[in-house]
Amino acid sequence: MEPINGTVVSEFFLKGFSGYPALERLLFPLCSAMYLVTLLGNAAIMAVSVLDVRLHTPMYFFLGNLSVLDICYTSTFVPLMLVHLLSSQKTISFIGCAIQMCLSLSTGSTECLLLAIMAYDRYLAICQPLRYPVLMSHQLCLLLAGAAWVFCLIKSVSETVIAMKLPFCGHRVVSHFTCEILAVLKLACGDTSVSEAFLLVGAVLLLPVPLALICLSYTLILVTILRVPSAAGRRKAFSTCSAHLAVVLLFYSTVIFMYMKPKSKEAHISDEVFTVLYAVVTPMLNPVIYSLRNKEVKDAVKKACGSRQACR
């Protein structure tokens, strides 16, 4: 679509998969089912973490935060994406685009920090077991989680305001299924260097730095586990962090693949399909991984189901 000089953009057209109607028909039931599993799975994790007193520990406090993030992240774009998959009118208002951009940036960024905090929690639990209740107090848990949420919200609001204040000169077709900030910046007809600098600083702070801290924590954890004399003790120590490690590998491998690979000027449909899958599949798999790899979560779920059947 050609830009219209002198006009103010009041809405954007999310191109998405509009050129592939067969793919849209395939993605709708697939993404609907995955989104439903994401909501139910993460809601179940949140419920058992609150209702079962045995799970009132730092590990499950952070796991509950992760479930909230997964629900919020997918809900910022999946419902509208599902509507657009069935409709030819794939528009979003300027304000709606800004809100969607800000919320997706904030929740995705917070998850990066939260995974690093969870790795630190596992390090203290395994490497400093006697001092763990003192080192990871309830106040510290609230401070770490709150700081991650607030910092990422401020960062995302700043990035969104800077990006959306740029002139768009009538450009309104976003080559994406959501208001992804890099896709929107391609429509700007002004200088995007300030916005790109903010994004670069944020990317460095939220990808390599947390990942380095996670790697350091698990290196120290591995060294400690190998020093455990009994095989049973080593298995028990590893089982307490294997689920988190699986989530870290899944999350960071997909994010790094999407945002660290060389970018081409033109968007490819394969990139968008992969983005849909990782943005929906990863939040869906997180509760599955934790429930399958964590005996305490499985016991809590069984207890909750058993209590409900007894009430009936």
Side-chain angles (χ1 to χ4, degrees), residues 190-209:
D191 184 12
T192 62
S193 58
V194 175
S195 184
E196 291 171 353
F198 264 79
L199 290 174
L200 178 61
V201 172
V204 171
L205 290 176
L206 295 172
L207 284 177
V209 173

Side-chain angles (χ1 to χ4, degrees), residues 166-171 185-192:
L166 290 168
F168 292 97
C169 306
H171 295 275
L185 282 178
K186 290 180 180 179
L187 306 182
C189 55
D191 184 12
T192 62

Side-chain angles (χ1 to χ4, degrees), residues 115-129 213-228 233-242 244-245:
L115 289 175
I117 294 171
M118 293 174 73
Y120 176 66
D121 171 70
R122 291 301 83 206
Y123 158 73
L124 291 180
I126 294 174
C127 301
Q128 305 284 339
L213 293 175
I214 291 171
C215 292
L216 176 61
S217 296
Y218 276 102
T219 299
L220 297 174
I221 288 172
L222 180 61
V223 171
T224 302
I225 290 176
L226 292 177
R227 290 176 180 173
V228 177
R234 287 194 296 270
R235 284 195 299 270
K236 182 178 179 181
F238 183 75
S239 67
T240 63
C241 58
S242 59
H244 177 254
L245 185 58

